[in-house]
Amino acid sequence: MNLLLPTEVLEKNPILKKVWDARTIGYLFSFGLLRGKKINGSCRVDERDVMHIFKLRFNGATSYYK
């Protein structure tokens, strides 16, 4: 599991910037949709989980882990 700050996830995947911001990724983590770790005033999330939810939402893919 590769844990990154939401801003780092956005930097590595520029397509996400068109739709989401760091706050949105933080909300996904707080709702329990992403694996990660809570840190001081922020969080670290699994990049693969973020991409999985993004692809499910916008591409209708059934599985990102193929």
Side-chain angles (χ1 to χ4, degrees):
M1 183 164 40
N2 187 17
L3 297 179
L4 302 173
L5 291 170
T7 54
E8 294 172 338
V9 174
L10 291 171
E11 289 173 8
K12 287 183 70 175
N13 303 288
I15 193 165
L16 294 175
K17 286 184 183 181
K18 296 178 182 177
V19 183
W20 291 347
D21 59 4
R23 182 181 297 163
T24 305
I25 295 173
Y27 283 138
L28 291 173
F29 173 72
S30 67
F31 295 150
L33 298 173
L34 301 174
R35 289 178 290 180
K37 188 178 201 179
K38 181 78 173 148
I39 57 174
N40 298 335
S42 186
C43 61
R44 290 193 172 268
V45 296
D46 185 13
E47 180 183 11
R48 289 184 354 164
D49 287 351
V50 174
M51 293 307 296
H52 183 195
I53 290 177
F54 178 79
K55 289 187 185 250
L56 282 174
R57 171 63 180 93
F58 295 102
N59 293 338
T62 56
S63 178
Y64 177 70
Y65 298 106
K66 287 184 181 177

Coordinates of all heavy atoms in Angstrom, one line a residue:
M1 N 0.9 -1.2 0.0 CA 0.0 0.0 0.0 C 0.9 1.2 0.0 O 1.8 1.4 0.9 CB -0.9 -0.1 1.2 CG -1.9 1.1 1.3 SD -3.3 0.9 2.4 CE -2.6 0.1 3.9
N2 N 0.7 2.1 -1.0 CA 1.5 3.3 -1.2 C 0.7 4.5 -0.6 O -0.2 5.0 -1.2 CB 1.8 3.5 -2.6 CG 2.8 4.6 -2.9 OD1 3.4 5.1 -1.9 ND2 2.8 5.1 -4.1
L3 N 1.0 5.0 0.6 CA 0.3 6.0 1.2 C 0.9 7.4 0.9 O 2.1 7.6 1.1 CB 0.3 5.9 2.8 CG -0.4 4.6 3.3 CD1 -0.3 4.6 4.8 CD2 -1.8 4.6 2.9
L4 N 0.1 8.3 0.3 CA 0.5 9.6 -0.1 C -0.5 10.6 0.4 O -1.7 10.3 0.7 CB 0.5 9.7 -1.6 CG 1.3 8.7 -2.4 CD1 1.1 8.9 -3.9 CD2 2.8 9.0 -2.2
L5 N 0.0 11.9 0.6 CA -0.9 13.0 0.9 C -1.9 13.2 -0.3 O -1.5 12.9 -1.5 CB -0.1 14.2 1.2 CG 0.7 14.2 2.4 CD1 1.6 15.5 2.4 CD2 -0.2 14.2 3.6
P6 N -3.1 13.7 -0.1 CA -4.0 14.0 -1.2 C -3.4 14.9 -2.3 O -3.6 14.7 -3.5 CB -5.2 14.6 -0.5 CG -5.2 14.0 0.8 CD -3.7 13.9 1.2
T7 N -2.6 15.9 -1.9 CA -1.9 16.7 -2.8 C -0.9 16.0 -3.7 O -0.8 16.3 -4.9 CB -1.3 17.9 -2.2 OG1 -0.4 17.4 -1.2 CG2 -2.3 18.9 -1.5
E8 N -0.2 15.0 -3.1 CA 0.7 14.2 -3.9 C 0.0 13.3 -4.9 O 0.5 13.1 -6.0 CB 1.6 13.4 -2.9 CG 2.5 14.2 -2.0 CD 3.2 13.3 -1.0 OE1 2.7 12.2 -0.6 OE2 4.2 13.8 -0.5
V9 N -1.1 12.8 -4.5 CA -1.9 12.0 -5.4 C -2.4 12.8 -6.6 O -2.3 12.4 -7.7 CB -3.2 11.4 -4.7 CG1 -4.1 10.6 -5.7 CG2 -2.8 10.4 -3.6
L10 N -2.8 14.0 -6.3 CA -3.2 14.9 -7.4 C -2.0 15.3 -8.3 O -2.2 15.4 -9.6 CB -3.8 16.2 -6.9 CG -5.2 16.0 -6.2 CD1 -5.6 17.3 -5.5 CD2 -6.3 15.6 -7.2
E11 N -0.9 15.5 -7.8 CA 0.3 15.8 -8.6 C 0.7 14.6 -9.5 O 1.1 14.8 -10.6 CB 1.5 16.2 -7.7 CG 1.3 17.5 -7.1 CD 2.4 17.8 -6.0 OE1 3.4 17.0 -6.0 OE2 2.3 18.8 -5.3
K12 N 0.6 13.4 -9.0 CA 1.0 12.2 -9.7 C 0.0 11.8 -10.8 O 0.3 11.2 -11.8 CB 1.2 11.0 -8.8 CG 2.5 11.1 -8.0 CD 2.7 9.8 -7.2 CE 3.0 8.6 -8.0 NZ 3.3 7.5 -7.2
N13 N -1.3 12.3 -10.6 CA -2.4 11.9 -11.5 C -3.1 13.2 -11.9 O -4.2 13.5 -11.3 CB -3.4 10.9 -10.8 CG -2.6 9.7 -10.4 OD1 -2.3 8.9 -11.1 ND2 -2.4 9.6 -9.0
P14 N -2.6 13.9 -12.9 CA -3.2 15.2 -13.2 C -4.7 15.1 -13.7 O -5.4 16.1 -13.6 CB -2.3 15.7 -14.4 CG -1.2 14.7 -14.6 CD -1.4 13.6 -13.7
I15 N -5.1 14.0 -14.2 CA -6.5 13.9 -14.6 C -7.5 14.1 -13.5 O -8.6 14.6 -13.7 CB -6.7 12.5 -15.3 CG1 -8.1 12.6 -16.1 CG2 -6.7 11.4 -14.4 CD1 -8.3 11.5 -17.1
L16 N -7.0 13.8 -12.3 CA -7.9 13.9 -11.1 C -8.1 15.4 -10.8 O -9.2 15.8 -10.3 CB -7.2 13.3 -9.9 CG -7.1 11.8 -9.8 CD1 -6.3 11.4 -8.6 CD2 -8.4 11.1 -9.9
K17 N -7.2 16.3 -11.1 CA -7.3 17.7 -10.8 C -8.4 18.4 -11.5 O -9.0 19.4 -11.1 CB -6.0 18.4 -11.2 CG -4.8 18.2 -10.3 CD -3.7 19.1 -10.8 CE -2.4 18.8 -10.0 NZ -1.3 19.6 -10.4
K18 N -8.9 17.8 -12.6 CA -10.0 18.4 -13.4 C -11.3 18.2 -12.7 O -12.2 18.9 -12.9 CB -10.1 17.8 -14.8 CG -8.9 18.0 -15.6 CD -9.0 17.4 -17.0 CE -7.7 17.6 -17.8 NZ -7.8 16.9 -19.1
V19 N -11.4 17.2 -11.8 CA -12.6 16.9 -11.2 C -12.6 17.0 -9.6 O -13.6 17.5 -9.0 CB -13.0 15.4 -11.5 CG1 -14.4 15.0 -10.9 CG2 -13.0 15.2 -13.0
W20 N -11.5 16.6 -9.0 CA -11.4 16.6 -7.5 C -10.3 17.5 -7.1 O -9.4 17.9 -7.8 CB -11.1 15.2 -7.0 CG -12.2 14.2 -7.2 CD1 -13.5 14.4 -7.5 CD2 -12.1 12.8 -7.1 NE1 -14.2 13.3 -7.6 CE2 -13.3 12.2 -7.3 CE3 -11.0 11.9 -6.8 CZ2 -13.6 10.9 -7.3 CZ3 -11.3 10.6 -6.8 CH2 -12.6 10.0 -7.0
D21 N -10.4 17.9 -5.8 CA -9.3 18.6 -5.1 C -8.9 17.8 -3.9 O -9.5 16.7 -3.6 CB -9.7 20.0 -4.8 CG -10.9 20.1 -3.9 OD1 -11.4 19.1 -3.4 OD2 -11.3 21.2 -3.6
A22 N -7.9 18.2 -3.2 CA -7.4 17.5 -2.0 C -8.4 17.3 -0.9 O -8.5 16.3 -0.3 CB -6.2 18.2 -1.4
R23 N -9.3 18.3 -0.8 CA -10.4 18.2 0.2 C -11.3 17.1 -0.1 O -11.8 16.3 0.8 CB -11.2 19.5 0.2 CG -12.2 19.5 1.3 CD -13.0 20.8 1.3 NE -12.1 21.9 1.7 CZ -12.4 23.2 1.5 NH1 -13.5 23.5 0.9 NH2 -11.5 24.1 1.9
T24 N -11.7 16.9 -1.4 CA -12.5 15.8 -1.8 C -11.9 14.4 -1.5 O -12.6 13.6 -1.0 CB -12.8 15.9 -3.3 OG1 -13.3 17.2 -3.6 CG2 -13.8 14.8 -3.8
I25 N -10.6 14.3 -1.7 CA -10.0 13.0 -1.4 C -10.0 12.8 0.1 O -10.2 11.7 0.6 CB -8.5 13.0 -2.0 CG1 -8.6 13.0 -3.5 CG2 -7.8 11.8 -1.5 CD1 -7.3 13.2 -4.2
G26 N -9.8 13.9 0.9 CA -9.9 13.8 2.3 C -11.3 13.3 2.8 O -11.4 12.5 3.7
Y27 N -12.3 13.9 2.2 CA -13.7 13.4 2.5 C -13.9 12.0 2.2 O -14.5 11.2 3.0 CB -14.7 14.3 1.8 CG -14.9 15.6 2.3 CD1 -15.1 16.7 1.5 CD2 -15.0 15.9 3.7 CE1 -15.2 18.0 1.9 CE2 -15.2 17.2 4.2 CZ -15.3 18.2 3.3 OH -15.5 19.5 3.8
L28 N -13.4 11.5 1.1 CA -13.5 10.1 0.7 C -12.9 9.2 1.8 O -13.4 8.2 2.2 CB -12.9 9.8 -0.6 CG -13.6 10.4 -1.8 CD1 -12.7 10.1 -3.1 CD2 -15.0 9.8 -2.0
F29 N -11.7 9.7 2.3 CA -11.0 8.9 3.4 C -11.9 9.0 4.7 O -12.1 8.0 5.3 CB -9.7 9.5 3.7 CG -9.0 8.9 4.9 CD1 -8.5 7.6 4.9 CD2 -8.9 9.7 6.0 CE1 -7.9 7.1 6.0 CE2 -8.3 9.2 7.2 CZ -7.8 7.9 7.1
S30 N -12.4 10.1 5.0 CA -13.2 10.2 6.3 C -14.5 9.4 6.2 O -15.0 9.0 7.2 CB -13.5 11.7 6.6 OG -14.4 12.3 5.7
F31 N -15.0 9.2 5.0 CA -16.2 8.4 4.9 C -15.9 6.9 4.9 O -16.8 6.1 4.8 CB -17.0 8.8 3.6 CG -17.5 10.2 3.5 CD1 -17.7 10.8 2.3 CD2 -18.0 10.8 4.7 CE1 -18.2 12.1 2.3 CE2 -18.5 12.1 4.6 CZ -18.6 12.7 3.4
G32 N -14.6 6.6 4.9 CA -14.2 5.2 4.9 C -14.2 4.5 3.6 O -14.1 3.3 3.5
L33 N -14.1 5.3 2.5 CA -14.0 4.7 1.2 C -12.6 4.4 0.7 O -12.4 3.8 -0.3 CB -14.7 5.6 0.2 CG -16.2 5.9 0.4 CD1 -16.8 6.9 -0.5 CD2 -17.0 4.5 0.2
L34 N -11.6 5.0 1.4 CA -10.2 4.8 1.1 C -9.5 4.3 2.3 O -9.8 4.6 3.4 CB -9.6 6.2 0.7 CG -10.2 6.9 -0.4 CD1 -9.5 8.3 -0.6 CD2 -10.0 6.2 -1.7
R35 N -8.5 3.4 2.0 CA -7.6 3.0 3.1 C -6.6 4.1 3.3 O -6.2 4.8 2.3 CB -6.9 1.7 2.7 CG -7.8 0.5 2.7 CD -7.1 -0.7 2.3 NE -6.8 -0.6 0.8 CZ -6.2 -1.5 0.1 NH1 -5.7 -2.6 0.7 NH2 -6.0 -1.3 -1.2
G36 N -6.1 4.2 4.5 CA -5.1 5.2 4.8 C -4.8 5.4 6.2 O -5.1 4.5 7.0
K37 N -4.2 6.6 6.5 CA -3.8 6.8 7.9 C -4.1 8.3 8.2 O -3.7 9.2 7.4 CB -2.3 6.5 8.0 CG -1.8 6.6 9.4 CD -0.3 6.2 9.3 CE 0.2 5.7 10.7 NZ 1.6 5.3 10.6
K38 N -4.7 8.6 9.3 CA -4.9 9.9 9.8 C -3.6 10.5 10.4 O -3.0 9.9 11.2 CB -6.0 9.9 10.8 CG -6.4 11.3 11.4 CD -7.3 12.0 10.4 CE -7.8 13.3 11.0 NZ -7.9 14.3 10.1
I39 N -3.3 11.7 9.9 CA -2.1 12.4 10.5 C -2.6 13.8 10.9 O -3.7 14.2 10.7 CB -0.9 12.4 9.6 CG1 -1.3 13.1 8.2 CG2 -0.4 11.1 9.3 CD1 -0.1 13.3 7.3
N40 N -1.7 14.5 11.5 CA -2.0 15.9 12.1 C -2.7 16.8 11.0 O -2.1 17.3 10.2 CB -0.8 16.6 12.6 CG -0.1 15.8 13.7 OD1 -0.7 15.1 14.4 ND2 1.2 16.0 13.8
G41 N -4.0 16.9 11.2 CA -4.8 17.8 10.3 C -4.9 17.4 8.9 O -5.4 18.1 8.0
S42 N -4.5 16.2 8.5 CA -4.5 15.7 7.2 C -4.6 14.2 7.2 O -5.0 13.6 8.2 CB -3.3 16.1 6.4 OG -3.4 15.8 5.0
C43 N -4.3 13.6 6.1 CA -4.4 12.1 6.0 C -3.4 11.7 4.9 O -3.0 12.5 4.1 CB -5.8 11.6 5.7 SG -6.5 12.2 4.2
R44 N -3.1 10.4 5.0 CA -2.3 9.8 3.9 C -3.2 8.7 3.4 O -3.8 7.9 4.2 CB -1.0 9.2 4.4 CG 0.0 10.3 4.7 CD 1.4 9.7 4.9 NE 2.4 10.7 5.0 CZ 3.1 11.2 4.0 NH1 2.8 10.8 2.8 NH2 3.9 12.2 4.2
V45 N -3.4 8.6 2.1 CA -4.3 7.6 1.5 C -3.6 6.8 0.5 O -2.6 7.1 -0.1 CB -5.5 8.4 0.8 CG1 -6.4 9.1 1.8 CG2 -5.1 9.3 -0.3
D46 N -4.2 5.6 0.2 CA -3.7 4.7 -0.8 C -4.0 5.2 -2.2 O -5.2 5.4 -2.5 CB -4.3 3.3 -0.5 CG -3.7 2.2 -1.4 OD1 -2.6 2.5 -2.1 OD2 -4.2 1.1 -1.5
E47 N -3.0 5.4 -3.0 CA -3.2 6.0 -4.3 C -4.0 5.0 -5.2 O -4.9 5.5 -6.0 CB -1.8 6.2 -5.0 CG -1.9 6.7 -6.4 CD -0.6 6.9 -7.0 OE1 0.4 6.4 -6.5 OE2 -0.5 7.5 -8.1
R48 N -3.9 3.7 -5.0 CA -4.6 2.8 -5.8 C -6.1 2.9 -5.5 O -7.0 2.7 -6.4 CB -4.1 1.3 -5.6 CG -2.8 1.1 -6.2 CD -2.3 -0.3 -6.2 NE -3.1 -1.2 -5.4 CZ -3.0 -2.5 -5.4 NH1 -2.1 -3.1 -6.2 NH2 -3.8 -3.3 -4.7
D49 N -6.5 3.1 -4.2 CA -7.9 3.2 -3.9 C -8.5 4.5 -4.5 O -9.6 4.4 -5.0 CB -8.0 3.3 -2.4 CG -7.8 2.0 -1.6 OD1 -7.7 0.9 -2.3 OD2 -7.7 2.0 -0.4
V50 N -7.7 5.6 -4.5 CA -8.2 6.8 -5.1 C -8.5 6.6 -6.6 O -9.6 6.9 -7.1 CB -7.2 8.0 -4.9 CG1 -7.7 9.2 -5.7 CG2 -7.0 8.3 -3.4
M51 N -7.6 6.0 -7.3 CA -7.8 5.7 -8.7 C -8.9 4.7 -9.0 O -9.6 4.9 -10.0 CB -6.4 5.2 -9.4 CG -5.3 6.2 -9.3 SD -5.8 7.8 -10.1 CE -6.1 7.4 -11.8
H52 N -9.1 3.8 -8.1 CA -10.1 2.8 -8.3 C -11.5 3.5 -8.2 O -12.4 3.3 -9.0 CB -10.0 1.7 -7.2 CG -11.1 0.7 -7.3 ND1 -11.3 -0.2 -6.3 CD2 -11.9 0.3 -8.3 CE1 -12.3 -1.0 -6.6 NE2 -12.7 -0.7 -7.8
I53 N -11.7 4.4 -7.2 CA -12.9 5.1 -7.0 C -13.1 6.0 -8.2 O -14.2 6.2 -8.7 CB -13.0 5.8 -5.7 CG1 -13.1 4.8 -4.6 CG2 -14.1 6.8 -5.6 CD1 -13.1 5.3 -3.2
F54 N -12.1 6.7 -8.6 CA -12.2 7.6 -9.8 C -12.7 6.9 -11.0 O -13.6 7.3 -11.7 CB -10.8 8.3 -10.0 CG -10.9 9.2 -11.2 CD1 -11.4 10.5 -11.1 CD2 -10.3 8.9 -12.4 CE1 -11.4 11.4 -12.1 CE2 -10.4 9.7 -13.5 CZ -10.9 11.0 -13.3
K55 N -12.0 5.7 -11.3 CA -12.4 5.0 -12.5 C -13.8 4.4 -12.4 O -14.6 4.4 -13.3 CB -11.4 3.9 -12.7 CG -10.1 4.4 -13.2 CD -9.1 3.4 -13.6 CE -7.8 4.0 -14.0 NZ -7.5 3.9 -15.4
L56 N -14.2 4.0 -11.2 CA -15.6 3.5 -11.0 C -16.6 4.6 -11.3 O -17.6 4.4 -11.9 CB -15.8 3.0 -9.6 CG -15.3 1.6 -9.3 CD1 -15.4 1.3 -7.8 CD2 -16.0 0.6 -10.1
R57 N -16.3 5.8 -10.8 CA -17.2 6.9 -10.9 C -17.3 7.5 -12.3 O -18.4 7.8 -12.8 CB -16.8 8.0 -9.9 CG -17.5 9.3 -10.0 CD -19.0 9.2 -9.7 NE -19.7 10.4 -9.8 CZ -20.3 10.9 -10.9 NH1 -20.3 10.1 -12.0 NH2 -20.9 12.0 -10.9
F58 N -16.2 7.6 -12.9 CA -16.2 8.4 -14.2 C -16.1 7.5 -15.4 O -16.4 7.9 -16.5 CB -15.1 9.4 -14.2 CG -15.4 10.5 -13.2 CD1 -14.8 10.5 -12.0 CD2 -16.4 11.4 -13.4 CE1 -15.0 11.5 -11.0 CE2 -16.7 12.4 -12.5 CZ -16.0 12.4 -11.3
N59 N -15.6 6.3 -15.3 CA -15.4 5.4 -16.4 C -16.4 4.2 -16.4 O -16.5 3.5 -17.4 CB -14.0 4.9 -16.6 CG -13.0 6.0 -16.9 OD1 -13.4 7.0 -17.4 ND2 -11.8 5.8 -16.6
G60 N -17.0 3.9 -15.3 CA -17.9 2.8 -15.1 C -17.1 1.5 -15.1 O -17.7 0.4 -15.3
A61 N -15.8 1.5 -14.8 CA -15.1 0.2 -14.8 C -15.5 -0.6 -13.6 O -16.0 -0.1 -12.6 CB -13.6 0.5 -14.7
T62 N -15.4 -1.9 -13.7 CA -15.8 -2.8 -12.7 C -14.7 -3.1 -11.7 O -14.9 -3.4 -10.6 CB -16.4 -4.1 -13.2 OG1 -15.5 -4.7 -14.1 CG2 -17.7 -3.8 -14.0
S63 N -13.5 -3.1 -12.2 CA -12.3 -3.4 -11.3 C -11.1 -2.8 -11.8 O -10.7 -2.9 -13.0 CB -12.1 -4.9 -11.3 OG -11.0 -5.2 -10.4
Y64 N -10.4 -2.1 -10.9 CA -9.2 -1.4 -11.3 C -8.0 -2.3 -11.1 O -6.9 -2.1 -11.6 CB -9.0 -0.2 -10.4 CG -7.7 0.6 -10.6 CD1 -7.5 1.3 -11.7 CD2 -6.7 0.6 -9.6 CE1 -6.3 2.0 -11.9 CE2 -5.5 1.2 -9.8 CZ -5.3 1.9 -11.0 OH -4.1 2.6 -11.2
Y65 N -8.1 -3.4 -10.3 CA -7.0 -4.2 -9.9 C -6.8 -5.4 -10.9 O -6.2 -6.4 -10.6 CB -7.3 -4.8 -8.5 CG -7.3 -3.7 -7.5 CD1 -8.5 -3.4 -6.9 CD2 -6.2 -3.1 -7.1 CE1 -8.6 -2.4 -6.0 CE2 -6.2 -2.0 -6.2 CZ -7.5 -1.7 -5.6 OH -7.5 -0.7 -4.7
K66 N -7.2 -5.3 -12.1 CA -7.0 -6.3 -13.1 C -5.6 -6.4 -13.5 O -4.8 -5.5 -13.5 CB -7.8 -6.1 -14.4 CG -9.3 -6.4 -14.1 CD -10.0 -6.2 -15.4 CE -11.5 -6.5 -15.2 NZ -12.3 -6.3 -16.4

